[in-house]
């Protein structure tokens, strides 16, 4: 270790490793995960969300929640601050779209929208 | 960098290791593998969460669900329900006593609500074997700050102004100690970390080394810069294998990143650390005995002055601080002296870690601001006394300290207040005792310990504690004589005044303080041949009340020595010659017919 800048760079990298434990992130993705949702592909959707988050190095939280009730499983809820947007019938491809449109671009994907 | 959606924190402190955390961790690896979750969920082995009674403890983030007493059999349910379906497994959550709903989160648990964690800030949060996770929590920032922006005198000034006092027992102002070592002349100086934790029941130093070893390394380097030392030693007992292993790993990682070694941060400052293992002698916690032991000599104290700050290891100026003291240094440097001085009481700043043990519901490690009352620690954090029994006293300071009776439950605890009521802070052991404790027996227990640990160098300690022990033994055996109390007091005064080191000087404290607050119990033992708490076996007789006994035979079956006889449905009798007074019959009797 030769400089404080080097230490700070390392700290920024390392913070990402423990962020989950110590901070509330700005964005939360809730994946409906009851039995119906899992049968309809919720785990694949969750994996895609994780892949995308890693690809874009985003500070967000992905949680599974079996209490999200809806006919159109898998349901994905995107939570940004106070705003909660519900999407239904989300496939792996749709999850990628939600990522590029809504999470990165702040545009709601209207054809998947259940409610706000 | 790998991205995980969930972290499973498994406590890997010594407490949880003995309650089976390794099997839990392995089960998690297996189950995650079976469900193809290994690249979605990360398992993190952490240091001690402090709530050892509830171990093994598992916390799952991002929810922060606090699961306790988890077994390997519970793991598949946790993976299938929590990690896949997002359902919190309620039956494994902690329940505060007297509440129907389980406390889902860390912060909802009474045990943690009143705590303030400075020394233990990273324990149970990070993986102690990862220097990256320590750096993520602002690790080594304090070292960088002093090497970049502060002169050694300025560092000492901050420590002085913070009001930090030694956490190992004496409570000597840390900044002053640093100043003495800095002023001392010498071509070579040393920094020593005293991790020879010896008080029965105290384990805060072990937990800090196990859970956050880098905080000690960083603090020792800061101290080295402040006093002008380039070499550090950690003196830790070999009975702490987990702590030693994690410290070794941490030193190795710090060297690899250049945070130990030569020219740290390109500042020209060199510092390195070596570990010295102790064999677990209590006297080696005394600083001069500790230094002798590091030098490879027999662990025996020598007279002071000269103090180690002037003439220490191999005759060179040496700064010695305790583990918990060091753990406070990095936050003080980063957040400033004023921040630290704003916590605690007038003359005792900051927090103190206590090892809560004995007759209390929530045993474990707690860190509270100085000035917290014993009542808050025992009842709010500790959850009160088990089985609805009454609080009798608490022992602080281990075998060097004294007892605090119920009258002083509301005294704010700090260095001065404890001394005033005849006890001491010590290293932070806190043993709670309920109404069934015999105070003479308690004094005997601690004196047996100090007598056993006396190194034998000076006569007052070697002989005095032995004589005191003889007197105490005969009192508990029903052979106490009139004048024994006075004899104990006389011996106690002599031992504490004439002994060479802290071990002997404080050894009579448990006797003196129990005499001060529970003299009537000593008198009952000596003059009435009666042990009021029913603990001292020689003074207890078990009898069966023939009017209450229904002849159910449960007591006879429970008796391990066959001392109880009688016909079914007729009153039973105890043969006093065979009875070993174990009390097994009392526990079994459904009619309360057995008296002692």
């Amino acid at each position: 270790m030769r400089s404080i800048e080097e230490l700070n760079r390392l700290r920024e990298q390392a913070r990402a490793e423990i962020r989950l434990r110590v901070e509330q992130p700005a964005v939360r993705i809730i994946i409906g995960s009851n039995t119906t949702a899992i049968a309809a592909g919720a785990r694949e959707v969750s994996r895609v969300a994780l892949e995308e988050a890693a690809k874009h190095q985003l500070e967000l939280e992905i949680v599974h929640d079996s209490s999200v009730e809806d006919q159109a499983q898998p349901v994905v809820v995107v939570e940004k601050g106070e705003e909660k947007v519900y999407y239904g019938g989300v496939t792996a491809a749709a999850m990628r779209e939600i990522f590029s449109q809504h999470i990165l671009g702040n545009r709601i994907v209207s054809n998947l929208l259940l409610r706000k | 960098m790998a991205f995980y959606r969930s972290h499973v924190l498994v406590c890997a402190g010594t407490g949880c290791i003995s309650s089976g955390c390794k099997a839990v961790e392995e089960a998690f690896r297996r189950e995650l593998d079976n469900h193809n979750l290994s690249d979605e969920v990360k398992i993190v082995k952490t240091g001690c969460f402090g709530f050892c009674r509830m171990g093994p403890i598992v916390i799952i983030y991002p929810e922060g669900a606090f699961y306790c007493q988890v077994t390997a059999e519970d793991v598949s349910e946790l993976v299938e329900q929590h990690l896949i379906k997002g359902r919190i497994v309620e039956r494994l959550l902690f329940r505060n006593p007297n509440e129907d709903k389980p406390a889902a989160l860390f912060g909802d648990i009474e045990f943690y609500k009143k705590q303030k964690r400075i020394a233990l800030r990273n324990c149970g949060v990070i993986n102690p074997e990862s220097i990256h996770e320590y750096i993520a929590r602002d690790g080594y920032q304090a070292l960088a700050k002093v090497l970049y922006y502060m002169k050694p005198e300025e560092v000492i000034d901050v420590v002085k102004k913070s009001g930090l006092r030694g956490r190992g027992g004496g409570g000597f102002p840390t900044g002053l100690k640093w100043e003495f070592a800095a002023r001392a002349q010498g071509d070579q100086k040393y920094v020593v970390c005293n991790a020879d934790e010896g008080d029965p029941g105290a384990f805060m130093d072990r937990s800090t080394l196990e859970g956050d070893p880098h905080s000690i390394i960083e603090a020792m380097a800061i101290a080295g810069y402040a006093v002008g030392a380039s070499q550090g030693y950690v003196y830790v007992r070999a009975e702490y294998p987990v702590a030693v292993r994690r410290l070794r790993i941490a030193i190795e990682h710090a060297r690899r990143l250049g945070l130990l070694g030569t020219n740290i941060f390109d500042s020209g400052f060199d510092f390195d650390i070596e570990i010295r293992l102790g064999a677990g002698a209590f006297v080696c916690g005394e600083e001069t005995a500790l230094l002798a032991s590091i030098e490879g000599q027999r662990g025996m104290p020598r007279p002071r002055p000269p103090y180690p700050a002037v003439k220490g290891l191999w005759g060179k100026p040496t700064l010695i601080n305790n583990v918990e003291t060091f753990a406070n240094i990095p936050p003080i440097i980063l957040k400033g002296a004023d921040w630290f001085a704003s916590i605690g009481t007038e003359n005792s700043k900051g927090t103190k870690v206590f090892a809560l043990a004995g007759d209390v519901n929530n045993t474990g490690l707690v860190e509270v601001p100085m000035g917290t009352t014993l009542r808050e620690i025992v009842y709010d954090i500790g959850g009160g006394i088990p089985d609805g029994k009454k609080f009798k006293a608490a022992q602080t300071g281990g075998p060097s300290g004294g007892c605090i009776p119920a009258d002083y439950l509301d005294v704010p605890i700090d260095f001065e207040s404890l001394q005033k009521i005849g006890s001491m802070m010590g290293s932070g052991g806190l043993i709670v005792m309920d109404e069934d404790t015999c105070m003479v027996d308690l004094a005997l227990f601690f004196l047996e310990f100090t007598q056993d640990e006396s190194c034998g160098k000076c006569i007052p300690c070697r002989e005095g504690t032995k004589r005191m022990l003889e007197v105490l033994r005969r009192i508990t055996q029903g052979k106490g004589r009139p004048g024994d109390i006075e004899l104990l007091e006389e011996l106690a005064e002599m031992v504490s005044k004439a002994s060479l080191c802290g071990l002997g000087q404080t050894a009579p404290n448990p006797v003196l303080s129990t005499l001060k607050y529970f003299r009537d119990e000593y008198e009952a033992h000596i003059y009435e041949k009666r042990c009021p708490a029913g603990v001292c076996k020689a003074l207890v007789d078990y009898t069966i009340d023939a009017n209450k006994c229904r002849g159910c035979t449960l007591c006879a079956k429970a008796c391990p020595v066959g001392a109880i006889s009688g016909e079914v449905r007729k009153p039973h009798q105890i043969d006093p010659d065979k009875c070993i007074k174990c009390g097994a019959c009392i526990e079994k009797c459904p009619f309360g017919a057995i008296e002692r």
Side-chain angles (χ1 to χ4, degrees):
Chain A
M1 192 69 60
R2 285 291 165 256
S3 70
I4 204 165
E5 290 77 27
E6 202 182 325
L7 181 68
N8 287 342
R9 267 199 306 277
L10 203 56
R11 177 173 64 175
E12 287 321 305
Q13 276 173 26
R15 271 189 178 159
E17 288 177 34
I18 65 159
R19 190 167 282 129
L20 210 56
R21 288 172 237 164
V22 289
E23 278 171 46
Q24 284 282 1
V27 180
R28 236 155 70 101
I29 304 175
I30 301 163
I31 315 241
S33 297
N34 59 23
T35 311
T36 323
I38 288 173
R43 291 217 35 205
E44 185 55 25
V45 172
S46 164
R47 246 190 285 273
V48 168
L50 195 61
E51 264 172 44
E52 292 290 318
K55 197 160 84 191
H56 300 285
Q57 293 286 311
L58 290 179
E59 295 172 28
L60 51 76
E61 206 171 282
I62 299 167
V63 286
H64 290 188
D65 187 350
S66 61
S67 68
V68 184
E69 298 284 346
D70 201 279
Q71 296 293 315
Q73 293 289 0
V75 173
V76 169
V77 188
V78 176
E79 219 182 276
K80 282 186 174 181
E82 294 292 291
E83 186 198 58
K84 259 185 167 184
V85 181
Y86 288 73
Y87 294 108
V90 180
T91 59
M95 188 69 233
R96 287 207 173 84
E97 199 182 342
I98 292 170
F99 241 90
S100 60
Q101 298 289 318
H102 185 167
I103 292 165
L104 294 168
N106 248 338
R107 288 182 300 273
I108 289 170
V109 186
S110 49
N111 61 324
L112 298 167
L113 181 70
L114 287 176
R115 58 183 181 274
K116 282 207 269 186
Chain B
M1 189 201 66
F3 201 93
Y4 296 96
R5 67 173 166 84
S6 180
H7 290 183
V8 175
L9 271 59
V10 183
C11 178
T14 291
C16 281
I17 288 175
S18 48
S19 56
C21 71
K22 264 193 112 108
V24 172
E25 187 210 330
E26 278 158 20
F28 264 111
R29 289 199 194 284
R30 213 167 40 237
E31 288 294 323
L32 289 182
D33 226 34
N34 289 345
H35 289 94
N36 282 325
L37 285 169
S38 298
D39 47 7
E40 290 181 39
V41 178
K42 183 180 185 177
I43 300 169
V44 185
K45 279 199 294 182
T46 70
C48 181
F49 293 103
F51 207 175
C52 307
R53 184 177 82 98
M54 283 295 156
I57 290 168
V58 172
I59 301 186
I60 299 186
Y61 285 101
E63 294 89 345
F66 189 94
Y67 293 116
C68 41
Q69 293 178 323
V70 178
T71 63
E73 287 75 51
D74 297 325
V75 171
S76 68
E77 187 181 348
L78 283 172
V79 171
E80 279 159 26
Q81 293 299 316
H82 187 139
L83 291 171
I84 295 179
K85 294 192 171 173
R87 285 189 191 125
I88 305 279
V89 181
E90 291 214 356
R91 70 174 181 89
L92 293 172
L93 292 177
F94 179 72
R95 270 165 217 274
N96 287 315
N98 318 322
E99 273 178 38
D100 298 336
K101 264 182 58 185
L105 306 172
F106 220 162
D108 297 336
I109 299 171
E110 295 291 342
F111 181 74
Y112 290 106
K113 271 188 193 165
K114 286 205 169 176
Q115 294 200 44
K116 183 173 181 65
R117 300 189 137 207
I118 298 174
L120 300 176
R121 63 196 176 281
N122 290 326
C123 288
V125 179
I126 62 167
N127 173 359
E129 296 182 14
S130 161
I131 192 168
H132 285 104
E133 295 201 355
Y134 181 67
I135 288 173
R137 299 272 290 168
D138 292 335
Y140 292 103
Q141 291 284 335
L143 178 62
K145 184 177 173 182
V146 302
L147 293 183
Y148 264 77
Y149 307 113
M150 293 167 84
K151 293 192 192 107
E153 309 87 74
E154 289 170 334
V155 178
I156 292 173
D157 213 42
V158 169
V159 177
K160 269 168 86 176
K161 282 204 179 114
S162 74
L164 177 67
R165 294 169 64 176
R167 298 294 194 248
F172 190 81
T174 306
L176 220 52
K177 215 175 195 181
W178 287 30
E179 195 172 60
F180 292 153
R183 279 202 195 140
Q185 298 296 319
D187 50 341
Q188 170 76 56
K189 295 183 187 177
Y190 297 103
V191 172
V192 171
C193 174
N194 183 347
D196 191 60
E197 187 171 47
D199 283 6
F203 59 100
M204 59 283 295
D205 295 348
R206 186 189 76 205
S207 285
T208 308
L209 288 175
E210 284 177 3
D212 195 16
H214 285 286
S215 67
I216 305 306
I217 295 173
E218 183 181 6
M220 287 178 71
I222 292 169
Y225 174 71
V227 305
S230 60
Q231 180 64 46
Y233 291 96
V234 180
Y235 186 82
V236 55
R237 34 184 59 212
E239 293 136 309
Y240 286 179
V242 180
V244 171
R245 190 165 51 83
R246 295 206 181 130
L247 189 62
R248 278 219 171 99
I249 293 170
I251 289 173
E252 195 43 52
H253 288 175
R255 279 185 190 145
R256 227 179 282 159
L257 282 185
L259 292 160
L260 284 178
T262 51
N263 198 17
I264 300 166
F265 284 114
D266 216 7
S267 64
F269 172 64
D270 306 337
F271 193 77
D272 209 345
I273 294 175
E274 280 181 33
I275 300 175
R276 286 289 181 270
L277 296 186
F282 185 59
V283 75
C284 287
E286 198 281 334
E287 54 184 19
T288 59
L290 184 151
L291 294 178
S293 178
I294 291 182
E295 290 172 1
Q297 298 169 39
R298 203 164 156 178
M300 279 184 169
R302 61 158 175 81
R304 296 176 305 178
Y307 284 90
V310 179
K311 219 172 164 199
L313 210 48
W314 294 294
K316 308 289 183 190
T318 303
L319 172 74
I320 307 181
N321 281 137
N322 154 273
V323 173
E324 193 188 333
T325 315
F326 274 132
N328 279 297
I329 294 291
I332 288 174
I333 298 292
L334 285 181
K335 296 184 184 173
D338 292 341
W339 163 77
F340 192 79
S342 71
I343 304 160
T345 62
E346 200 188 334
N347 291 312
S348 304
K349 300 301 186 190
T351 57
K352 179 76 194 86
V353 184
F354 289 99
L356 200 52
D359 303 321
V360 59
N361 277 316
N362 302 336
T363 53
L365 220 50
V366 304
E367 182 170 354
V368 290
M370 292 276 190
T372 304
T373 66
L374 190 58
R375 188 185 299 279
E376 287 173 284
I377 297 176
V378 173
Y379 286 93
D380 298 345
I381 298 172
I385 317 289
D387 306 324
K389 290 202 172 142
K390 273 202 298 215
F391 173 90
K392 184 167 186 177
Q395 176 86 10
T396 62
S400 309
C403 67
I404 307 172
D407 293 350
Y408 296 102
L409 268 171
D410 291 309
V411 171
I413 295 183
D414 66 13
F415 286 106
E416 275 73 31
S417 69
L418 285 182
Q419 222 147 45
K420 213 182 285 171
I421 55 178
S423 184
M424 65 182 274
M425 183 73 81
S427 63
L430 209 166
I431 301 167
V432 181
M433 290 164 283
D434 69 13
E435 52 192 320
D436 294 339
T437 312
C438 169
M439 301 312 277
V440 186
D441 184 60
L442 173 87
L444 176 74
F445 169 81
F446 282 118
L447 204 67
E448 270 175 347
F449 178 84
T450 36
Q451 208 288 312
D452 200 39
E453 293 289 345
S454 171
C455 78
K457 180 170 181 174
C458 71
I459 298 162
C461 177
R462 184 181 70 221
E463 296 299 326
T465 54
K466 190 110 187 157
R467 298 287 90 78
M468 286 180 76
L469 192 61
E470 281 170 7
V471 177
L472 274 178
R473 276 223 178 97
R474 72 171 176 247
I475 293 176
T476 58
Q477 285 164 359
K479 295 170 192 155
R481 308 168 197 155
D484 271 355
I485 293 178
E486 293 71 20
L487 182 59
L488 275 176
E489 284 171 331
E490 197 188 327
L491 283 165
E493 197 194 345
M494 188 275 298
V495 171
S496 65
K497 275 192 180 155
S499 288
L500 177 57
C501 81
L503 193 158
Q505 286 159 13
T506 59
N509 283 355
V511 178
L512 288 175
S513 81
T514 46
L515 266 174
K516 182 172 174 186
Y517 297 114
F518 299 97
R519 200 180 182 93
D520 53 328
E521 289 194 23
Y522 280 82
E523 287 166 351
H525 280 76
I526 296 171
Y527 301 107
E528 300 165 36
K529 306 291 176 214
R530 183 172 66 83
C531 174
V535 172
C536 298
K537 285 182 182 173
L539 299 175
V540 179
D541 278 320
Y542 287 79
T543 50
I544 296 176
D545 184 341
N547 294 323
K548 287 187 185 161
C549 178
R550 307 277 257 317
C552 73
T553 75
L554 279 177
C555 59
K557 283 182 191 137
C559 181
V561 290
I564 302 178
S565 58
E567 277 176 57
V568 182
R569 288 182 225 285
K570 283 189 183 149
H572 282 46
Q573 302 86 32
I574 299 175
D575 180 350
D577 294 332
K578 282 189 188 164
C579 176
I580 55 163
K581 297 164 186 176
C582 67
C585 51
I586 289 196
E587 279 170 29
K588 279 284 180 311
C589 180
F591 313 109
I594 302 173
E595 289 164 358
R596 66 176 165 199

